[in-house]
Amino acid sequence: MATDDWPIESDGSNTLVIFGASGDLTRRKLVPALCSLFCKGSLPENLGILGVARSDLNDQQYRAMLRDSLDEEIARPTPEQWADFSSRVHYLHGDITSSDDLLQVRSKLLDMETGDRATNRLYYLSLAPSLYQPAIAVLGETGMADDTEGWRRLVVEKPFGTDLASARSLNEIAHSVFREDQVFRIDHYLGKETVQNLLVFRFANAIFEPIWNRNYIDHVQITVAETLKIDERGEYYDQTGVLRDMFQNHLLQLLTLVAMEPPHAFEAEALRNEKVKVLSAIRRIHPEDVALHAIPGQYRTYRDEGGVAPESDTATYAAVRLYVDNWRWQGVPFYLRSGKALRSKSTEIIIQFRNPPHMLFPLDEDEDIPANTLAIFVQPDEGFHLEFQTKTPEAGLQMRKAELEFHYHEAFSGQAIPDAYERLLLDALNGDASLFTRADEIEQAWSIVDPIIAGFGRPDAPRPYYYSEGSWGPVEADRFMSTDGRAWLQGGRAR
Ligand code: BG6
């Protein structure tokens, strides 16, 4: 039996090793997600957790720190549950880039690993991205990737590289130590329930697929709006900007799920093959043409934020029009936009259908009936809205818009939507890579975003347009749409 086939339920030990264990992500997301899984009884019985970071703490201090920062929206353990859960958590202080320290981690793991069956290990890099390469190299040097005793898997957080070249070199180093099927690259959007439901919606219903193409769809809008500003992340964000932070990963992932062909099975390779086909079909934008296809924005007070250069031209907002050059989507624009400091937090996908080819009902001279829209709300208020026209009672042939709605919180009342990390951690432990990004997928995504970033950096490119906090972005983004004869839609409605 290949070691990768050893199931998580084996008599052996399963250990999750979190490198970067005292960091924000571990405290805010990973540990609360693990604790929530534990409280639901979904965590494997014999899972041990080892946190490794540079802070000098013992097990008790580390557990206390985790309890203090536990996000109760994700996990609300009783004191007994917490005591039980935290007794599985251990801590070791060490520097991931030092072989000596990693050898100590290895002997700590050998102490924790009991039983005479497989000793499975999931290594989670919750580190500053500059540490990914050295960390992977040291895992290799110290024999920690050797999977003769049990499976070894590596989880890498985003950002995976800062451009195509760096993503390639990170993939190369990862592949020099681990096989591709051992590498789990996280995009937490793929762990969101509604994102997965998009696949169910498209492929478990026969009524949408026949109209899911250029013959019936006028265009698609994907919005990921945040009210948050950049908070304490000024230095990181100023080097990153919205295209690297949100487009290369989350927005392009949403696009692939909307545009992909049905895979033959809900299985990692089949799914990811289809997603890669979409990404490779996206028409690349030449840097010199970027002004025709993309609008950069910056919120007005961005340059006053800590860690941001006083003359910074980093975009905190972007709107981009992309085309997928294949049979299904030829000529259908996909409008993507995302920004910080916008009016409300909402992630939604709008499918705007075509107008009826011939209107037989009388309309006033300046009257125009809106075409059908399907709005898919990823967050908050997860659900779907389908808008269509109805006749107003007793009013001749006047029409009015009506909506069919589905809201998760109504349909599954009392059932909280789990945090994305719960699903992703479980899948990684179970070796299911369906919701993780493959090496070629990451590289394709960078090759789409890199030329746009290069275009924004050209001396003749427009500087980011300012927008007020609490607005919907720069007015230029509205003009960009109206030039195409369209408008941004909010929840399926023009604002
Ligand atoms: C992260 C970005 O990947 O996603 C953040 O780095 C952003 O800048 C966050 O705020 C948004 O995630 P969510 O789940 O709140 O939409």
Side-chain angles (χ1 to χ4, degrees), residues 158 188-189 192 226 228 233 236 245-246 250 340 345 379:
K158 77 164 267 275
H188 77 279
Y189 265 58
K192 291 184 190 274
E226 295 188 273
L228 276 183
R233 301 159 80 213
Y236 157 79
D245 191 45
M246 300 297 285
H250 311 324
K340 298 273 184 207
K345 179 167 175 74
Q379 63 183 18

Side-chain angles (χ1 to χ4, degrees), residues 380-413:
D381 191 11
E382 293 80 354
F384 299 90
H385 279 198
L386 179 65
E387 279 189 6
F388 54 95
Q389 295 299 316
T390 50
K391 181 183 171 308
T392 315
E394 292 193 34
L397 266 172
Q398 261 180 28
M399 286 173 279
R400 203 177 58 187
K401 215 163 48 178
E403 288 188 355
L404 278 177
E405 297 181 25
F406 164 80
H407 296 272
Y408 260 76
H409 64 90
E410 286 167 8
F412 302 100
S413 58

Side-chain angles (χ1 to χ4, degrees), residues 341-354:
L342 296 179
R343 186 171 312 159
S344 63
K345 179 167 175 74
S346 71
T347 298
E348 55 189 57
I349 299 166
I350 307 234
I351 313 292
Q352 167 89 61
F353 292 93
R354 289 188 185 281

Side-chain angles (χ1 to χ4, degrees), residues 35-201:
C35 181
S36 168
L37 288 169
F38 176 79
C39 295
K40 291 180 208 162
S42 313
L43 216 53
E45 269 297 308
N46 51 359
L47 181 79
I49 300 168
L50 175 65
V52 181
R54 278 192 298 198
S55 325
D56 196 1
L57 302 168
N58 60 32
D59 284 359
Q60 297 311 328
Q61 290 165 324
Y62 183 57
R63 290 171 190 163
M65 182 184 94
L66 296 179
R67 183 66 193 95
D68 285 348
S69 47
L70 196 71
D71 180 343
E72 302 220 328
E73 286 200 9
I74 304 178
R76 226 176 262 195
T78 61
E80 296 72 36
Q81 284 172 323
W82 175 258
D84 240 13
F85 168 74
S86 63
S87 68
R88 297 163 167 236
V89 180
H90 301 273
Y91 182 82
L92 194 70
H93 85 98
D95 175 356
I96 175 84
T97 60
S98 141
S99 309
D100 288 347
D101 286 9
L102 264 237
L103 289 172
Q104 301 233 10
V105 172
R106 206 170 93 158
S107 55
K108 173 82 183 174
L109 282 169
L110 294 173
D111 287 348
M112 286 171 70
E113 289 167 343
T114 51
D116 48 13
R117 297 278 304 272
T119 52
N120 301 323
R121 294 181 196 159
L122 182 67
Y123 303 125
Y124 200 119
L125 303 190
S126 171
L127 298 163
S130 57
L131 294 176
Y132 293 165
Q133 293 224 10
I136 297 169
V138 178
L139 282 169
E141 277 159 37
T142 50
M144 304 268 283
D146 176 359
D147 64 351
T148 44
E149 300 290 325
W151 53 251
R152 302 286 180 264
R153 296 186 190 127
L154 177 77
V155 180
V156 189
E157 266 296 331
K158 77 164 267 275
F160 197 91
T162 52
D163 57 13
L164 177 58
S166 57
R168 267 194 190 139
S169 93
L170 190 50
N171 274 332
E172 269 163 31
I173 172 104
H175 291 155
S176 69
V177 177
F178 294 93
R179 295 182 311 275
E180 173 61 21
D181 64 288
Q182 294 174 288
V183 184
F184 290 68
R185 298 170 193 79
I186 290 237
D187 182 320
H188 77 279
Y189 265 58
L190 293 176
K192 291 184 190 274
E193 281 289 320
T194 346
V195 173
Q196 294 161 53
N197 194 34
L198 184 53
L199 292 172
V200 175
F201 181 84

Side-chain angles (χ1 to χ4, degrees), residues 453-465:
I453 296 171
F456 280 173
R458 281 170 64 94
D460 56 346
R463 301 298 90 205
Y465 300 106

